[in-house]
Amino acid sequence: MKNSFSKRLGKLQNNYAELIERENEPVENGNGVFDRYKYPILTAMHTPLYWRYDLNAATNPFLMERFGINAAFNAGAMKWKDKYILAVRVEGADRKSFFAIAESPNGIDHFTFWDYPISMPGTGEPETNIYDMRLVNHEDGWIYGIFCTERRDPNAPEGDQSSAIAQCGIARTKDLIKWERLPNLVTPSPQQRNVVLHPEFVDGKYAFYTRPQDSFIEAGSGGGIGFGLSNSIINAVIEKEIVIDKRVYHTVYELKNGLGPAPIKTKYGWLHMSHGVRNTAAGLRYVCYLFMTDLNDLTKEIYKPGGYFIAPEGDELIGDVSNVLFSNGWIADDDGKIFIYYATSDSRMHVATSTLDKLLDYVMNTPADGLNSSASVSTLNQIINNNRQFIENKTHAHTVENSSL
């Protein structure tokens, strides 16, 4: 039995080492806007063996998993002490999520989890699940974790064990290990999910991007991505929400939308990445799209390309909740490189890389959604005509050059 235990443990350790040490590589022939990478950067199997297994042969002679991990996804991100840091949503086999920090030296592979998950303090109000943390390095000097906190709806009948209430949880830290829990955000909306803290003060106040919704699943009267100000972060209260990016019929964000990570400040405006949801015969489809708001007026949208920026492809389409791509973390390096961290099908984490120049070009020069088929054809015809004219002019110039030789 002892030899069998040691042999199995050796295989587990070797497989784990191979997974962590595997180098990632970009996928060729992309769309020119960003580069996907071949391998997921985090999965359930990336969690340490000493989380999942009791490694003592006396108490676990068959070396069984004692704490099953189902998924690692929806991670917030930041650069910290020259490491690429992800605050990962780790989901156990029991469906309960918790947060854990993983780090990488280069942002694309060799991600390893810290020894312990985050022990997130409560607020006194019972909560069943916490998930989808946005990491924000605020100008007030604190690192904030903004996340969703969920509990069963106390008003639901006993036979309904799926109705829930979601609110925005707030915590802050100086070292990503010890966290101070603050009271949940208060807004005029019945429920909140996908709330993001703006990284700078606005008129001396804390600014939040919200997603007002009537129930746990349905946005209902919630018109899209909201924006509001709070005088304090200790007891954050938004008295008025303004919708800055609304839901629109027959778009990729017709059913629901919400901000992903905190926006990136550029010389042209604030660059935002959001998720959009539409309903299909096969269920909900989640994609991400970009837009930009004015530097001085965060409620003024100045650029918004039509359609999605990134959507699930290939194996990304398959998982616990298929056809889902979700991002709540990105990192802008000082050299202009952008690391986009996204999860697929509520199962695993990936990375795509781009540059600030590419993303600005994409956002500012990609045609907006004309909101009907006729407008789409008109946009396409304009691109075709421009290209035909360019090709004809180039061909003519080449012919004249050859005839003069």
Side-chain angles (χ1 to χ4, degrees), residues 32-34 245 264 266 268-274 288-294 300-310 330 338 340 354-369:
V33 184
F34 56 82
D245 187 63
I264 296 173
T266 78
Y268 300 107
W270 288 96
L271 182 63
H272 299 263
M273 179 163 57
S274 305
C288 284
Y289 65 97
L290 302 187
F291 66 94
M292 183 181 286
T293 56
D294 186 81
K300 181 181 179 182
E301 197 171 74
I302 56 176
Y303 294 104
K304 186 176 182 180
Y308 60 77
F309 167 68
I310 185 170
W330 59 5
I338 306 292
I340 301 162
S354 186
T355 66
L356 185 58
D357 287 341
K358 285 183 178 181
L359 295 187
L360 289 173
D361 188 322
Y362 168 81
V363 168
M364 299 171 70
N365 296 309
T366 301
D369 191 335

Side-chain angles (χ1 to χ4, degrees), residues 319-337:
D320 263 13
V321 185
S322 298
N323 205 7
V324 169
L325 186 148
F326 187 93
S327 176
N328 51 301
W330 59 5
I331 294 173
D333 259 351
D334 293 337
D335 62 0
K337 190 172 184 178

Side-chain angles (χ1 to χ4, degrees), residues 1-16 45 49 52-55 57 60-66:
M1 181 67 73
K2 185 176 180 180
N3 289 337
S4 177
F5 182 96
S6 298
K7 185 176 180 181
R8 173 165 161 72
L9 178 58
K11 287 183 178 180
L12 288 173
Q13 291 171 331
N14 289 337
N15 290 342
Y16 181 78
M45 293 298 100
L49 294 176
R52 291 178 274 136
Y53 293 89
D54 173 1
L55 301 178
N60 189 19
F62 299 104
L63 195 52
M64 297 179 179
E65 275 194 343
R66 296 300 194 204

Side-chain angles (χ1 to χ4, degrees), residues 107-357:
I108 59 172
D109 52 30
H110 294 83
F111 274 94
T112 56
F113 281 95
W114 289 6
D115 287 346
Y116 292 92
I118 293 173
S119 295
M120 182 60 67
T123 60
E125 183 178 27
E127 55 193 7
T128 301
N129 208 25
I130 54 175
Y131 50 90
D132 299 357
M133 179 185 286
R134 277 77 171 170
L135 285 177
V136 180
N137 200 346
H138 198 273
E139 70 167 316
D140 71 359
W142 286 92
I143 298 170
Y144 287 91
I146 310 298
F147 54 93
C148 186
T149 172
E150 173 192 321
R151 61 189 176 94
R152 183 176 180 271
D153 186 348
N155 296 318
E158 183 62 26
D160 180 0
Q161 291 295 324
S162 60
S163 292
I165 293 177
Q167 296 296 338
C168 168
I170 304 173
R172 63 184 182 181
T173 182
K174 294 287 189 177
D175 59 9
L176 299 173
I177 298 174
K178 184 178 180 180
W179 291 78
E180 176 189 1
R181 185 70 181 269
L182 303 177
N184 292 343
L185 176 68
V186 176
T187 74
S189 302
Q191 298 206 35
Q192 287 286 357
R193 297 174 80 180
N194 298 294
V195 175
V196 179
L197 177 66
H198 190 70
E200 296 182 359
F201 288 112
V202 176
D203 298 329
K205 300 180 180 182
Y206 289 89
F208 290 88
Y209 302 94
T210 64
R211 192 179 82 182
Q213 54 189 76
D214 293 345
S215 67
F216 182 65
I217 299 296
E218 302 297 332
S221 61
I225 297 172
F227 178 83
L229 300 175
S230 173
N231 292 323
S232 171
I233 195 71
I234 303 299
N235 288 285
V237 177
I238 294 174
E239 295 182 353
K240 182 180 180 181
E241 290 177 279
I242 301 171
V243 173
I244 64 171
D245 187 63
K246 65 180 183 178
R247 297 186 293 126
V248 180
Y249 167 73
H250 212 80
T251 62
V252 298
Y253 40 85
E254 67 179 7
L255 185 65
K256 291 186 287 189
N257 59 343
L259 207 63
I264 296 173
K265 191 175 187 178
T266 78
K267 61 183 178 181
Y268 300 107
W270 288 96
L271 182 63
H272 299 263
M273 179 163 57
S274 305
H275 67 269
V277 187
R278 68 182 179 93
N279 210 349
T280 75
L284 302 183
R285 174 172 166 82
Y286 280 69
V287 299
C288 284
Y289 65 97
L290 302 187
F291 66 94
M292 183 181 286
T293 56
D294 186 81
L295 273 177
N296 300 310
D297 182 358
L298 298 178
T299 67
K300 181 181 179 182
E301 197 171 74
I302 56 176
Y303 294 104
K304 186 176 182 180
Y308 60 77
F309 167 68
I310 185 170
E313 293 183 355
D315 291 343
E316 298 174 349
L317 289 160
I318 307 301
D320 263 13
V321 185
S322 298
N323 205 7
V324 169
L325 186 148
F326 187 93
S327 176
N328 51 301
W330 59 5
I331 294 173
D333 259 351
D334 293 337
D335 62 0
K337 190 172 184 178
I338 306 292
F339 295 79
I340 301 162
Y341 296 102
Y342 66 96
T344 59
S345 297
D346 282 9
S347 299
R348 61 194 82 83
M349 286 298 305
H350 307 259
V351 65
T353 57
S354 186
T355 66
L356 185 58
D357 287 341

Side-chain angles (χ1 to χ4, degrees), residues 389-403:
Q389 185 65 47
F390 173 77
I391 293 170
E392 289 172 4
N393 289 342
K394 189 174 182 180
T395 302
H396 177 70
H398 181 69
T399 301
V400 171
E401 181 181 356
N402 287 340
S403 64

